[in-house]
Amino acid sequence: MGAAAQIIAGNYVEFSLAVKRHLVRGTLAAEEARLLPFGLVRVHRTRLVNLNHAVAVEPRPSGDFALRMDTGETLVGSRRYKEAVARLRGSEVLRAGFR
């Protein structure tokens, strides 16, 4: 599974994979429930991220955070979801970013 999924319009979710993007009809909430066992978690109201591909967390002064992915891409996460990300991710690197 790729690094990220985000809602684009209404009931369509776009999956950004390493080599391609896929558009799927459905809600982000339904995809979140379906993909949680594979490491995809919500980091923003419009975005799921595969934490297996996250290498660092960069806290922001606002309380939000940025996830640096193994592809070099940086994805923004909301402070509303940072506790869930910290709990679900076993990596010390990611947990250290939330201290």
Side-chain angles (χ1 to χ4, degrees):
M1 182 57 61
Q6 67 182 21
I7 192 164
I8 13 187
N11 287 337
Y12 287 92
V13 177
E14 180 183 50
F15 287 92
S16 299
L17 306 177
V19 294
K20 196 174 183 180
R21 292 179 184 260
H22 295 276
L23 191 61
V24 175
R25 182 164 169 78
T27 65
L28 199 59
E31 292 301 310
E32 177 183 19
R34 187 174 72 85
L35 297 172
L36 182 62
F38 301 102
L40 273 86
V41 297
R42 191 178 293 246
V43 298
H44 189 273
R45 67 180 182 85
T46 63
R47 182 172 292 129
L48 302 175
V49 171
N50 189 334
L51 292 182
N52 296 318
H53 292 278
V55 296
V57 173
E58 299 163 1
R60 303 266 170 97
S62 65
D64 292 345
F65 60 95
L67 287 171
R68 193 161 24 94
M69 307 306 287
D70 57 7
T71 61
E73 184 178 16
T74 299
L75 302 172
V76 176
S78 169
R79 63 182 169 263
R80 179 177 176 188
Y81 297 99
K82 75 180 185 179
E83 290 302 320
V85 172
R87 261 195 325 271
L88 290 171
R89 180 60 179 170
S91 169
E92 287 299 321
V93 171
L94 289 179
R95 277 197 296 245
F98 288 122
R99 289 185 188 146

